[in-house]
Amino acid sequence: MDTLRTALRERLGLAPPAPVDVRRGEVVACDGYDRERIEYPGLEGDVIPAFLFTPVGREPLGGVVVFHQHNGEFHFGKSEVAGLVGDPFQAFGPALARQGLVVLAPDAISFEDRRAGVRGVQPDTYDWLQHYNAMSYRLLDGDTLMRKGLDDAQRAMTVLLAVSGVDPSRVGVAGHSFGGTTAMYHAVVDPRCRFAAISGAVGSFDSRRGAGTGILLFETVPGLARWLDTHDLLSAIAPRPTLVVSGTQDKYSLDADEVVARAGGDSITHLRVERGHALDAERFEAIVAWVVGEGAQGVR
């Protein structure tokens, strides 16, 4: 709904998308795709590093920004999406690029190469504190980590559209856990997201609080739960195609079936499995297949 999009943007103080300068870097030839490291400026003059995955030997079908997970591993970001480190069922970059999509995978603030004190994929003792500071310092100024995260997200979409040359009706967002939450809010505030694949991130505030589940620092916005809940976000993405992936034993998705039912409409595809939070082969492959086969088909 345009109403929620406008209200959320205004409440956060989120500026409209603007052109972004991109610095191109090293290109690595891989099996079926090229992986390029790029950088572009963030809202606060910071540098946002990302990997760009481009199919080789074929015209791109579409494009997708993939937001990485959290998992308490602040030393992993874009490199996990690239399949270079971490969980192989987070390696959406290679899997989607081999299927013909251009993929952009940026580091979120305080992850991997956007940590305050170190770079790379080795952990540091104070990683968690830097992530906490990314929220608390902003709260001191009456700002939020969500505003920064969503500004980063819409910059990523601007970059994807600028460098890929793909049809704007065939670009969207995807992510698991923290990445899924980012994708969900981004799709609400940015109509350029023509589809959204959201995994391990669809649970009501009441369900998460009732289970004693931690709330992402990204989502810690004073008063947020008083005027929206997760079903409102899904409703606001409609009628754009949306994939929700959830596990019955996932504390972040305990009532995902109820949330999807409350959102209503026929634009949501829901894959619910009798498992926990971490992705497995079935869910990973289903996300890839949906993004390629339905998401990137374009909204007519």
Side-chain angles (χ1 to χ4, degrees):
M1 299 176 196
D2 291 342
T3 302
L4 182 58
R5 174 184 304 137
T6 300
L8 187 55
R9 294 189 70 94
E10 289 180 350
R11 191 178 185 97
L12 294 173
L14 185 61
V20 179
D21 293 326
V22 181
R23 184 165 66 186
R24 311 297 289 259
E26 178 189 15
V27 178
V28 177
C30 303
D31 180 17
Y33 65 95
D34 287 338
R35 183 185 73 238
E36 180 182 1
R37 181 187 169 99
I38 66 172
E39 294 181 347
Y40 48 93
L43 175 69
E44 300 159 352
D46 50 328
V47 175
I48 302 176
F51 280 140
L52 179 69
F53 306 84
T54 305
V56 172
R58 61 188 300 177
E59 286 295 316
L61 299 174
V64 59
V65 178
V66 176
F67 301 108
H68 62 77
Q69 68 170 350
H70 185 311
N71 202 33
E73 296 173 318
F74 302 98
H75 52 299
F76 291 167
K78 64 186 179 303
S79 291
E80 187 165 42
V81 179
L84 300 174
V85 295
D87 185 349
F89 297 130
Q90 294 294 321
F92 289 104
L96 289 166
R98 290 189 183 110
Q99 293 294 318
L101 270 72
V102 180
V103 182
L104 183 68
D107 283 338
I109 187 168
S110 70
F111 284 83
E112 198 169 312
D113 288 337
R114 294 184 73 189
R115 290 179 286 168
V118 295
R119 302 290 183 270
V121 293
Q122 294 302 314
D124 184 76
T125 302
Y126 296 106
D127 281 348
W128 69 271
L129 181 59
Q130 299 306 315
H131 184 59
Y132 176 80
N133 287 345
M135 174 197 70
S136 57
Y137 288 175
R138 287 176 172 81
L139 289 176
L140 285 173
D141 293 328
D143 200 356
T144 61
L145 184 57
M146 184 182 287
R147 183 178 78 99
K148 173 58 174 166
L150 291 181
D151 188 88
D152 285 355
Q154 61 185 19
R155 285 170 186 261
M157 181 57 70
T158 297
V159 169
L160 176 66
L161 288 167
V163 302
S164 68
V166 300
D167 183 341
S169 74
R170 297 176 182 270
V171 297
V173 288
H176 173 70
S177 194
F178 171 46
T181 300
T182 305
M184 180 166 56
Y185 280 92
H186 182 199
V188 171
V189 301
D190 191 344
R192 298 176 300 171
C193 303
R194 304 311 300 165
F195 64 85
I198 304 162
S199 173
V202 173
S204 68
F205 287 125
D206 282 347
S207 171
R208 283 181 278 166
R209 285 189 287 203
T213 303
I215 302 296
L216 289 169
L217 302 190
F218 168 89
E219 209 171 6
T220 305
V221 176
L224 185 68
R226 293 182 178 180
W227 62 284
L228 66 76
D229 209 333
T230 313
H231 68 276
D232 298 308
L233 298 169
L234 293 181
S235 295
I237 298 172
R240 292 166 289 167
T242 304
L243 173 67
V244 172
V245 177
S246 69
T248 59
Q249 300 164 35
D250 177 5
K251 62 184 180 180
Y252 298 102
S253 304
L254 289 176
D255 63 345
D257 50 348
E258 299 173 21
V259 172
V260 169
R262 288 192 69 183
D266 57 5
S267 61
I268 302 175
T269 300
H270 188 192
L271 171 61
R272 189 152 174 83
V273 299
E274 299 288 333
R275 264 157 274 158
H277 185 64
L279 285 182
D280 48 37
E282 178 189 358
R283 282 177 280 178
F284 176 80
E285 292 167 5
I287 292 168
V288 170
W290 184 90
V291 169
V292 173
E294 295 190 46
Q297 291 306 304
V299 178
R300 300 292 184 255

